[in-house]
Amino acid sequence: MTSVRRLFVLLCGYEILPITVSLRGANPRFIVSVPICTYLLDTEAGWVLFDAGLDSHHLTDPAQVEKYFSRDGWFPPPVVEPVHEMEEQLRQIGIGFEDISILILSHLHADHSGHIKRMPQAEIIIQKREYDYAFSDEPKVAYFPEDYDLPGLNWTVIDGDQQLMPGIDAIFTPGHTPGHQSLVIDLPSKGKTILTADVGDWIENFTQEILPGSATNDEEAIASIHRINDLHQRTDGEMFLTHDPVLVRKIKLAPDYYV
Ligand SMILES: [Zn+2]
């Protein structure tokens, strides 16, 4: 039994980064552009979004570019063209941010938190460890509190693995950040499908068990890679990667969809 009817993959922009940000130990002379994907699920319980992309308003105002990106060495800043805007891609599907009933967040890095502010009506589901870390005073890289530390948001904090509804399972996969989570969804025809989020940016993170460049805990990060590989083997479910620049060109993008 699954309540998921369709999966849409939204391509929401690109980040221009040394390859070492994705693949620990690679040659830092290689600069790559990696996609930012989010996932929209059409379910019997309404529209469910997995991750909220990057807010392009941070990119259009030079003062914000300096504040959010250049000052922290995140240069050049990401690229969000009009064709990448989530609002436009949702419009092509026939909905808007106001129609999202549940927003699940893998973690609160800025390329996943951008449009949270557009969905005050949504139940926002996050892992407890991620919530506590994001709202703590600890110095953090790539967290933009202005994206998520806002009044009027409906947070639902979960702790560990949890079935969110029939056909959507949250899988606790910490390491890249303290409270990162992935999703396993069940599609009517395609069956089990794994939305890895940032456990590994590239498929090589999984096939060669390479740590992500950025991790708050390496032991947890490699355990999460093993966990996704194990799930992949046991379910034979296709893996959708949020930041793989090669795989993204081989999949169906919204408004096309998977069933
Ligand atoms: Zn991240």
Side-chain angles (χ1 to χ4, degrees):
M1 281 294 291
T2 182
S3 48
V4 181
R5 300 185 186 118
R6 294 184 289 174
L7 162 68
F8 298 83
V9 182
L10 280 60
L11 173 55
C12 302
Y14 275 85
E15 297 173 62
I16 302 150
L17 303 163
I19 198 169
T20 46
V21 171
S22 296
L23 298 172
R24 188 85 59 96
N27 186 337
R29 290 164 74 184
F30 295 121
I31 305 291
V32 291
S33 61
V34 303
I36 303 167
C37 294
T38 65
Y39 305 91
L40 177 70
L41 303 170
D42 174 15
T43 81
E44 286 166 13
W47 293 97
V48 176
L49 189 65
F50 184 41
D51 282 342
L54 182 87
D55 184 353
S56 63
H57 290 105
H58 298 318
L59 301 166
T60 44
D61 172 8
Q64 290 211 24
V65 172
E66 169 65 19
K67 175 183 174 190
Y68 286 110
F69 299 100
S70 311
R71 207 174 58 189
D72 286 335
W74 191 343
F75 190 84
V79 174
V80 179
E81 296 289 341
V83 72
H84 298 130
E85 290 289 355
M86 286 185 75
E87 185 168 28
E88 172 59 16
Q89 294 180 74
L90 294 176
R91 194 192 61 74
Q92 286 183 23
I93 296 166
I95 65 169
F97 283 114
E98 67 279 8
D99 295 305
I100 304 296
S101 51
I102 299 176
L103 169 62
I104 307 164
L105 295 170
S106 63
H107 62 307
L108 278 169
H109 275 162
D111 49 339
H112 300 255
S113 66
H115 296 287
I116 294 172
K117 58 181 88 69
R118 309 283 303 273
M119 293 169 270
Q121 79 289 346
E123 179 186 8
I124 304 172
I125 300 178
I126 190 164
Q127 288 286 333
K128 179 176 192 308
R129 271 174 64 180
E130 188 66 20
Y131 184 89
D132 290 348
Y133 180 71
F135 283 87
S136 75
D137 294 333
E138 266 184 74
K140 296 177 280 290
V141 178
Y143 284 77
F144 298 178
E146 291 88 338
D147 275 353
Y148 59 83
D149 191 355
L150 301 165
L153 297 177
N154 278 308
W155 296 97
T156 294
V157 176
I158 63 174
D159 198 359
D161 294 355
Q162 190 166 317
Q163 182 175 73
L164 303 178
M165 66 175 74
I168 304 183
D169 286 283
I171 306 293
F172 186 47
T173 47
H176 172 63
T177 63
H180 185 279
Q181 63 182 346
S182 309
L183 289 187
V184 176
I185 61 168
D186 209 349
L187 284 163
S189 300
K190 199 172 170 58
K192 297 282 187 204
T193 301
I194 304 165
L195 309 180
T196 63
D198 285 13
V199 171
D201 288 353
W202 293 49
I203 196 65
E204 287 88 338
N205 289 103
F206 299 96
T207 56
Q208 299 174 38
E209 299 186 352
I210 300 172
L211 279 167
S214 153
T216 51
N217 184 310
D218 283 354
E219 274 175 39
E220 287 183 340
I222 199 72
S224 291
I225 288 170
H226 291 154
R227 177 137 199 234
I228 294 289
N229 278 341
D230 184 54
L231 274 167
H232 177 55
Q233 274 186 347
R234 281 194 290 116
T235 62
D236 201 29
E238 183 175 349
M239 289 162 54
F240 285 79
L241 275 55
T242 296
H243 297 301
D244 189 302
V246 179
L247 288 185
V248 74
R249 295 176 55 196
K250 298 177 178 171
I251 61 175
K252 291 193 267 189
L253 296 174
D256 204 353
Y257 56 84
Y258 293 91
V259 292

